Amino acid sequence: MTKLKLGPLTEDKPVKVSVELPAGVHRDLVAYAETLGRTTGQAVPDPVRLIVPMITRFMATDRAFTKARRGQSRIKD
């Protein structure tokens, strides 16, 4: 079984954002959505719904960002 970085998607109140993606990125999102659907046993999600969890996961695992964010919160406190 494929181990993906994203798990099943959760429902949340959306905020509308418009983004233009390169065609290659969109193709990869479609392929990722198909793989995610197969590995989770859920219906294939709309590829656009992958963007938020991917960005969230990216930021959560970016050590430099986490360190910078902690530094900013200390300044505000």
Side-chain angles (χ1 to χ4, degrees):
M1 179 181 273
T2 304
K3 177 71 173 149
L4 299 176
K5 290 192 176 210
L6 293 182
L9 302 179
T10 58
E11 292 296 323
D12 198 3
K13 184 177 178 183
V15 175
K16 186 132 181 129
V17 176
S18 295
V19 175
E20 287 188 29
L21 301 174
V25 172
H26 184 261
R27 283 191 297 271
D28 288 345
L29 280 172
V30 170
Y32 198 104
E34 291 168 352
T35 303
L36 183 63
R38 280 194 307 273
T39 59
T40 62
Q42 296 179 335
V44 175
D46 178 358
V48 173
R49 292 197 56 222
L50 300 177
I51 296 170
V52 171
M54 286 178 162
I55 292 171
T56 302
R57 173 89 172 153
F58 174 81
M59 289 188 301
T61 59
D62 186 316
R63 291 181 182 174
F65 174 70
T66 303
K67 184 178 178 180
R69 188 172 225 188
R70 273 196 313 259
Q72 288 174 349
S73 68
R74 283 188 209 143
I75 293 170
K76 292 178 184 177
D77 293 339

